[in-house]
Amino acid sequence: PESPPPPYSRLSPNDEQKPLDLSDSTLSYTETEATNSPNVTPGDFSDASTSPDAVKRSHWCNVAYWEHRTRVGRLYTVYEQSVSIFYDLPQGNGFCLGQLNLDNRSETVRRTRSKIGYGILLSKEPDGVWAYNRSEHPIFVNSPTLDIPNCRTLIVRKVMPGYSIKVFDYERSCLLQHTADLDYADGPYDPNSVRISFAKGWGPCYSRQFITSCPCWLEILLSNNR
């Protein structure tokens, strides 16, 4: 399509996942609108984390991009209320994963990267952080507030293209008891982080037990300044 689908629709707080409302034109988003922002020059990718205006504001999260066990590129700091994370677009504003270089990528990683497309949009809302799947392939999400209380089995949610999910619930996070005996074999437990894999799932239902086995994934490190 000439423009990506609208990445945002306000959902009922009781609905965990819902399709995007394509009928509401007031919520539509196009790359043309993105390039009209003051920090974007047509044809360039704007890095909101380095703009002069952004330095004056506090950030609400950092985003790390990983390929298997290797972090690629630097942390991307987010100051705006929402951020697009995509593979490659001719114009746009956000975190462009296609520009991150790494020597000797495996064929599996290359194939998965090609599936990221328009990627996702992360949005900070009063009730939490939402992720909107703008790609043509599913994404897989895990966070402390999506887990079932007192369940020691890793919970990974599959989000189909065109759907959104609240990946982090602020109120629920405050209610959760951050127990120290949680055993995560794939790394330390962070009660304020979200992990999102593109196209490939992980966990008990998949051959990939840990997210570090996924070709392309994101680590969303939420700030305590909420």
Side-chain angles (χ1 to χ4, degrees):
E2 295 181 358
S3 64
Y8 179 79
S9 71
R10 293 195 175 275
L11 310 178
S12 165
N14 296 323
D15 293 337
E16 186 177 81
Q17 294 186 32
K18 273 291 190 68
L20 303 183
D21 183 1
L22 304 183
S23 63
D24 190 346
S25 60
T26 62
L27 299 177
S28 66
Y29 174 95
T30 67
E31 297 310 317
T32 301
E33 288 169 342
T35 57
N36 287 335
S37 65
N39 294 327
V40 181
T41 301
D44 293 336
F45 294 99
S46 171
D47 183 354
S49 65
T50 59
S51 65
D53 294 336
V55 175
K56 301 175 184 178
R57 299 189 297 271
S58 61
H59 69 281
W60 62 272
C61 79
N62 287 299
V63 181
Y65 169 65
W66 296 76
E67 293 177 359
H68 294 299
R69 292 181 174 272
T70 302
R71 200 185 89 188
V72 183
R74 60 176 177 78
L75 287 176
Y76 185 89
T77 304
V78 180
Y79 298 91
E80 304 294 341
Q81 288 297 109
S82 62
V83 59
S84 293
I85 304 173
F86 49 85
Y87 178 69
D88 194 16
L89 293 175
Q91 299 176 359
N93 180 18
F95 189 10
C96 179
L97 303 180
Q99 291 187 329
L100 302 179
N101 297 319
L102 181 67
D103 295 332
N104 303 319
R105 278 193 172 101
S106 68
E107 184 60 29
T108 300
V109 171
R110 293 179 187 275
R111 286 197 305 268
T112 304
R113 279 169 61 86
S114 69
K115 296 178 180 179
I116 294 174
Y118 288 119
I120 65 172
L121 185 135
L122 287 177
S123 178
K124 181 185 179 185
E125 303 293 342
D127 60 342
V129 178
W130 288 81
Y132 308 87
N133 186 359
R134 304 169 67 212
S135 74
E136 297 180 354
H137 300 271
I139 60 173
F140 298 83
V141 181
N142 167 258
S143 87
T145 64
L146 288 175
D147 283 336
I148 300 174
N150 302 320
C151 177
R152 301 188 66 86
T153 301
L154 181 71
I155 304 297
V156 179
R157 309 288 186 182
K158 181 178 182 180
V159 184
M160 299 302 292
Y163 282 73
S164 59
I165 184 173
K166 188 196 297 185
V167 296
F168 195 86
D169 186 305
Y170 291 149
E171 182 177 356
R172 187 172 185 183
S173 176
C174 293
L175 296 176
L176 289 176
Q177 294 182 352
H178 301 153
T179 57
D181 61 344
L182 289 175
D183 184 18
Y184 287 91
D186 59 339
Y189 173 77
D190 185 345
N192 295 309
S193 69
V194 177
R195 297 180 292 181
I196 301 175
S197 174
F198 292 104
K200 304 293 184 181
W202 83 98
C205 299
Y206 296 88
S207 59
R208 295 166 293 273
Q209 293 297 296
F210 310 121
I211 195 170
T212 49
S213 299
C214 294
C216 305
W217 59 281
L218 302 172
E219 185 177 24
I220 315 300
L221 305 168
L222 299 173
S223 170
N224 290 328
N225 299 323
R226 299 183 183 129

